[in-house]
Amino acid sequence: MSKLYIFGIGGTGARVLRSLTNLLATGVSLGKDIDTIVPIIIDPDTSNGDLTRTVSLMRLYQKIRANLTFDNRPEKKGYFHVGIDDMNTSFRLHLNNVANMKFADYIAYNRFANQGQADSNQALLSLLFSDKNLACPLDVGFKGNPNMGSVVLNDPKNKQALFSLLQHFQSEDQIFIISSIFGGTGAAGFPLLQKTFREAEKLNLPNSSAIANAAIGAVTVLPYFGLKEDKRSEINMETFISKTKAALKYYIGNLDVDNLYYISDFIKNRYENVEGATEQRNKAHFVELAAALAIVDFANAHVEHNRIQTNTSYREFAVRGDENPLTLNDLCSNTFSSIGRELISFYLFARFYMEHFNQTKDYAWAKTPQMKGTSYGDAFFSDLGQFVEQYRTQWLKEMSDNQRCFQPFDLFSNNDDVFDTIMHIEPKKTTMFGRILGKNLKGYPAIDTEVSDVSMKKLRGLDAYNYFMTIHEEAINNVIKKKYNI
């Protein structure tokens, strides 16, 4: 099995990784070859709210995943089945000399002063960088200035730190890069990063050939949100389109990637104009989910790099129509087949776990030998509860509250039948015969009945955590098939 190294550049990279983490928790597959992802966020703004939230979520995923195994499971997959490895990086590439430093100091701007007068070198730098650029503190990012980002990210010391993260890279491993095209960090980082990988052999690293010849995919996110006007801020959304055009023009003939994905949408929402740090904490957006699907598509495509001549495959994302809100019915068939059942399954599991699970602890499944002596107050069940709660009340809710709105579920409905909360997908009605037999029941009793049936199977070699996850996931998926024929 192989690993997929995913480099998330800037705030957009962090937000897409957040969506990917939630998708992987639902059991979305990365194909038969990839069993582990290695996410690495590249952002000088280490206190960025989007970054810290994503890192916390991935750590929580790791804690849950550490208690699970899939070799003894019937299908060898399920919720959380893809591993997440941080390679002891805390999910970050630590950039050289950006903390407590202004950009002018980073480029040694004042070194060129000659007896109080700027020489020709300093004059040239003054043409390339504005006074605001020079005075910009680097620990809050590049504030939408790719000209600054390209200097910092091209620092040889940062390249060395990058390759130290890849010291265990193998020939079957792959690389994926996430970036936005209308900001500072992503627009500068993407072309530099892929160029660095392709030129790895120049550094004479032990595994440089594997890196240089790896299949590389990338998603570049075009403008999909706006910012409110703030004259105090250096970030102006009026420059988004011009930056995008300039970057796209540069990309022609300057990229060597195998699959390149483009994601965009009409700007329907304007966030507060926050330059960085803890206050930059955007709501989850459907475009970020679509960008995460580019990673899923790439991983399942079994791409092989042709070193003699790269034949880049250019791909875009689409939905059935220009709807707002979007529901699962608005996803194209390929997209729905990749994530539809998984999103529904984990949503039902989240609601079941938070609203009904405590009532089932004396049921027959809880008295099986596998569950004997289990404490439901231990860290695993606490972590699981924390994850499913954020899935429903944060990630899904934020996308349903954003513009464009993605609203696959009626998240907080008090409907007696939870199966009626899947937007625009009607469950089969319970027949009188079904009610008499106690099958195809409404709401949580339908899941309870299926859990009871599944728990009667001889599931050997499973400890309490794996047994619990297996019977509940299988039960919910069985009910989904019966209710929706999915």
Side-chain angles (χ1 to χ4, degrees):
M1 301 296 283
S2 57
K3 299 185 292 295
L4 177 62
Y5 287 74
I6 305 174
F7 295 87
I9 308 176
T12 299
R15 291 190 294 273
V16 173
L17 281 171
R18 181 188 177 204
S19 283
L20 180 65
T21 302
N22 278 292
L23 285 179
L24 296 182
T26 71
V28 166
S29 174
L30 295 183
K32 64 179 181 179
D33 297 329
I34 295 174
D35 64 349
T36 303
I37 64 168
V38 183
I40 301 165
I41 300 174
I42 302 175
D43 195 336
D45 185 3
T46 56
S47 63
N48 180 292
D50 291 322
L51 182 153
T52 56
R53 180 163 60 167
T54 296
V55 168
S56 295
L57 184 66
M58 291 191 294
R59 284 176 174 163
L60 183 61
Y61 184 110
Q62 283 184 311
K63 290 173 65 178
I64 296 169
R65 179 64 176 76
N67 290 285
L68 301 177
T69 59
F70 296 88
D71 291 340
N72 293 327
R73 303 247 193 131
E75 296 184 2
K76 300 188 184 301
K77 61 181 181 180
Y79 302 153
F80 301 97
H81 77 276
V82 175
I84 297 182
D85 189 346
D86 67 347
M87 294 291 184
N88 297 317
T89 66
S90 299
F91 299 111
R92 297 179 177 93
L93 173 67
H94 295 280
L95 298 176
N96 180 57
N97 291 334
V98 296
N100 303 315
M101 181 175 287
K102 294 180 181 179
F103 184 66
D105 299 325
Y106 191 90
I107 62 174
Y109 177 79
N110 292 319
R111 183 184 65 185
F112 299 110
N114 182 18
Q115 296 181 354
Q117 296 181 352
D119 65 5
S120 57
N121 291 311
Q122 195 176 58
L124 176 61
L125 291 175
S126 296
L127 288 174
L128 296 174
F129 304 103
S130 68
D131 290 341
K132 285 186 176 180
N133 290 160
L134 296 169
C136 179
L138 292 179
D139 53 6
V140 293
F142 305 127
K143 298 185 178 181
N145 296 288
N147 56 333
M148 295 168 53
S150 61
V151 172
V152 175
L153 297 176
N154 206 30
D155 187 324
K157 291 183 180 179
N158 289 328
K159 288 185 178 182
Q160 193 61 44
L162 175 65
F163 281 109
S164 70
L165 302 179
L166 297 169
Q167 58 183 315
H168 300 296
F169 195 91
Q170 302 294 319
S171 58
E172 67 272 16
D173 295 339
Q174 298 181 325
I175 294 171
F176 198 93
I177 303 169
I178 311 164
S179 66
S180 69
I181 202 171
F182 57 98
T185 311
F190 168 38
L192 285 173
L193 203 56
Q194 63 84 35
K195 183 174 183 289
T196 300
F197 293 142
R198 289 294 183 227
E199 296 179 350
E201 289 172 314
K202 293 181 179 180
L203 299 180
N204 295 319
L205 300 172
N207 58 350
S208 59
S209 179
I211 298 170
N213 292 287
I216 299 179
V219 58
T220 184
V221 183
L222 282 70
Y224 67 101
F225 66 85
L227 298 174
K228 296 178 181 179
E229 183 179 359
D230 185 345
K231 294 182 178 179
R232 297 169 298 175
S233 174
E234 293 184 37
I235 303 176
N236 181 2
M237 69 165 287
E238 301 302 326
T239 66
F240 284 0
I241 299 302
S242 60
K243 288 179 180 178
T244 299
K245 289 181 178 179
L248 288 172
K249 185 175 182 180
Y250 175 77
Y251 287 179
I252 299 174
N254 287 292
L255 295 180
D256 186 1
V257 298
D258 299 285
N259 282 22
L260 181 56
Y261 299 79
Y262 287 103
I263 301 291
S264 183
D265 194 12
F266 297 112
I267 293 176
K268 296 181 179 293
N269 196 16
R270 294 196 178 197
Y271 298 134
E272 294 296 329
N273 195 326
V274 177
E275 294 184 342
T278 57
E279 294 182 7
Q280 185 173 324
R281 190 182 172 96
N282 295 353
K283 289 181 180 178
H285 196 288
F286 178 72
V287 164
E288 295 150 11
L289 169 60
L293 285 173
I295 304 171
V296 175
D297 181 83
F298 176 75
N300 280 277
H302 310 292
V303 177
E304 293 186 6
H305 179 65
N306 184 340
R307 183 169 188 176
I308 298 174
Q309 182 179 4
T310 302
N311 296 312
T312 303
S313 175
Y314 297 94
R315 305 191 179 195
E316 296 179 326
F317 179 85
V319 291
R320 293 185 184 276
D322 188 19
E323 303 296 334
N324 193 20
L326 293 168
T327 67
L328 290 173
N329 276 344
D330 297 306
L331 302 179
C332 295
S333 58
N334 285 345
T335 303
F336 187 87
S337 65
S338 295
I339 66 169
R341 182 183 63 82
E342 288 80 2
L343 286 175
I344 294 171
S345 177
F346 203 68
Y347 160 72
L348 293 174
F349 177 71
R351 291 200 66 158
F352 178 91
Y353 193 84
M354 300 309 297
E355 298 175 350
H356 184 68
F357 169 57
N358 283 335
Q359 302 172 36
T360 72
K361 293 177 182 177
D362 291 325
Y363 287 9
W365 69 265
K367 298 178 181 179
T368 56
Q370 291 92 334
M371 300 303 297
K372 185 177 181 180
T374 301
S375 170
Y376 298 108
D378 66 14
F380 174 79
F381 290 101
S382 175
D383 292 339
L384 184 61
Q386 185 180 344
F387 197 102
V388 299
E389 179 72 0
Q390 73 77 35
Y391 174 80
R392 174 189 171 196
T393 66
Q394 295 181 35
W395 186 61
L396 288 174
K397 184 177 187 300
E398 287 173 17
M399 285 193 291
S400 71
D401 290 342
N402 215 330
Q403 296 295 332
R404 166 181 323 251
C405 169
F406 179 52
Q407 195 173 69
F409 312 112
D410 188 354
L411 293 170
F412 303 101
S413 171
N414 292 322
N415 196 309
D416 290 337
D417 192 345
V418 69
F419 300 105
D420 287 331
T421 65
I422 315 298
M423 302 296 289
H424 299 169
I425 299 180
E426 295 291 332
K428 296 177 182 178
K429 300 300 181 183
T430 304
T431 64
M432 178 64 71
F433 187 67
R435 287 195 293 270
I436 292 173
L437 293 178
K439 299 289 185 178
N440 200 22
L441 303 175
K442 294 176 62 176
Y444 297 133
I447 298 177
D448 290 334
T449 300
E450 199 67 40
V451 169
S452 178
D453 289 347
V454 174
S455 67
M456 294 174 66
K457 296 180 179 179
K458 293 182 179 180
L459 298 173
R460 301 182 183 278
L462 297 179
D463 61 18
Y465 300 148
N466 286 281
Y467 180 78
F468 170 84
M469 296 297 287
T470 298
I471 63 173
H472 284 84
E473 181 178 2
E474 185 174 338
I476 288 173
N477 288 337
N478 289 346
V479 174
I480 289 173
K481 187 172 183 179
K482 294 175 181 178
K483 293 280 188 179
Y484 308 109
N485 195 31
I486 298 174

